[in-house]
Amino acid sequence: MPSSIDRKAVELLLAISESPTGKIAGTILSDYHAGSSIQLLAANLLAACGHLPATASLADHDDEPISLTWSAERNGYGYFSPSAGWIGVPKERLALFSVNHPALLAQMAVQLDLAARGGATALIPDLLWEVGDARIGRRRQRLPIWFARRLPDRTVWNQIIEAARRRPTTQIRVLLTSTPASRLPEQPLPGHIIVPMGDMIDFGAGLAIRPDVLTALLDGTTPADTQERLYLPPSGQQLVINGNVTISFKSDIHIAIVRKLVQGFKDGKRFGARELLDHAQSSAKTLRQAFGAQRWAALEPHLKSENGLWGFEP
């Protein structure tokens, strides 16, 4: 595993992975990301996957694409410029590169205690992969790990929901993604915790996921910001109120409702009970019924309804 893959190169790789095709033109790499592309190509994280049939003019300062032709005499592609004659285009500028996702997932998992297997398996071609089962923290059972890209795309998201429905799990499944946290779908995926890869990477070890950070995330042990009135870790399993009241949740329905209420508190929004219940896909008629008497008793002092709209008031 090369240790010379820096943060800038990792961010470029994840950005390419999030693009519709997962590909990038050699011209863009050479003109704007020369240093990062050297690192990614050397680590086999980008692979040539074809050539572009056109390029911008290299001689006439024209941004319009120019169709290329093959010259047997010059043994290369190029075009005729009115001002400079024949212009040959270097092969590296014509190349098209794609993210080598199998290599990315192998390097990502190098520090994880994965059960022996032959590498990641594509569940949805070029969109969703099964990485394997990993022992995380002190859990007795290994947790299944998937990787997906382009979660904000509604079509992709629906495909992933369907894949999760076809392959249910009795425990939580970790869904790693190249999608940044700011663009994750609001809709919950029951039984899953969605983890942006950029938040988990050990930059001192290339693209390796840090097991300790992943463990803390799953355990809900990430230290709370004592200045925050409401703190909810990404797992959604522990709500800390004013730094001294902690309420734990295990149900996907509870977690989904609390996540929406916490985000609403941050955004200055309130929600009707039915909106919260539908968001969590709950058939309950009231929030009290959805949470149960004991957990509702812990939550109720910190929630208030105004004109039928609920929100946290810690």
Side-chain angles (χ1 to χ4, degrees):
M1 164 67 63
S3 60
S4 58
I5 302 176
D6 59 24
R7 182 181 296 268
K8 191 174 181 180
V10 170
E11 291 174 349
L12 172 62
L13 184 70
L14 297 180
I16 299 171
S17 180
E18 280 297 288
S19 68
T21 63
K23 299 176 182 178
I24 189 170
T27 53
I28 296 177
L29 286 178
S30 60
D31 290 349
Y32 301 103
H33 306 288
S36 295
S37 65
I38 291 173
Q39 297 175 43
L40 298 176
L41 288 167
N44 194 33
L45 293 167
L46 286 179
C49 61
H51 292 82
L52 298 172
T55 187
S57 173
L58 300 178
D60 300 322
H61 307 288
D62 190 354
D63 291 333
E64 291 297 319
I66 298 172
S67 297
L68 302 175
T69 57
W70 173 261
S71 171
E73 179 183 353
R74 297 173 177 84
N75 191 32
Y77 283 96
Y79 62 94
F80 182 81
S81 165
S83 63
W86 176 262
I87 302 294
V89 180
K91 292 181 179 179
E92 60 270 19
R93 292 186 64 85
L94 297 178
L96 194 62
F97 296 89
S98 63
V99 175
N100 185 349
H101 282 101
L104 166 61
L105 299 180
Q107 295 191 23
M108 175 190 77
V110 72
Q111 293 188 26
L112 297 180
D113 181 10
L114 279 177
R117 59 177 302 137
T121 301
L123 301 178
I124 302 175
D126 202 35
L127 288 174
L128 175 66
W129 291 262
E130 185 177 46
V131 178
D133 297 337
R135 192 177 305 282
I136 299 174
R138 298 182 178 180
R139 288 173 172 77
R140 293 182 179 180
Q141 290 183 308
R142 295 178 182 272
L143 298 185
I145 296 181
W146 284 5
F147 172 84
R149 67 185 195 94
R150 293 191 55 71
L151 297 189
D153 185 299
R154 173 53 59 181
T155 300
V156 172
W157 180 243
N158 287 338
Q159 291 183 67
I160 291 171
I161 291 174
E162 178 60 21
R165 186 193 66 78
R166 293 195 310 266
R167 299 171 69 93
T169 178
T170 58
Q171 53 190 321
I172 194 168
R173 179 185 283 136
V174 179
L175 178 60
L176 295 166
T177 180
S178 49
T179 301
S182 61
R183 301 190 65 217
L184 291 177
E186 290 188 5
Q187 180 182 359
L189 188 60
H192 295 70
I193 178 171
I194 302 176
V195 182
M197 234 182 93
D199 296 342
M200 294 288 109
I201 290 173
D202 182 354
F203 287 97
L207 286 164
I209 296 294
R210 287 185 55 180
D212 59 330
V213 176
L214 187 55
T215 298
L217 181 66
L218 288 166
D219 292 345
T221 55
T222 305
D225 183 348
T226 56
Q227 302 303 313
E228 253 186 309
R229 295 173 67 189
L230 292 178
Y231 173 78
L232 187 71
S235 67
Q237 294 179 332
Q238 285 186 323
L239 174 66
V240 181
I241 303 174
N242 291 323
N244 56 22
V245 175
T246 300
I247 306 174
S248 299
F249 307 97
K250 294 183 178 179
S251 163
D252 291 327
I253 289 176
H254 296 172
I255 291 172
I257 294 174
V258 170
R259 274 181 175 156
K260 193 168 184 68
L261 284 167
V262 169
Q263 190 60 49
F265 175 77
K266 294 178 179 178
D267 297 339
K269 296 180 180 179
R270 306 177 80 88
F271 309 97
R274 189 70 261 163
E275 180 182 357
L276 292 167
L277 294 168
D278 289 346
H279 171 75
Q281 300 179 8
S282 170
S283 59
K285 294 181 179 180
T286 66
L287 292 177
R288 179 188 180 91
Q289 184 181 16
F291 279 100
Q294 183 177 355
R295 194 154 278 106
W296 181 248
L299 272 173
E300 189 177 23
H302 311 286
L303 286 171
K304 185 176 181 181
S305 174
E306 291 184 356
N307 300 319
L309 299 178
W310 288 92
F312 273 114
E313 294 192 4

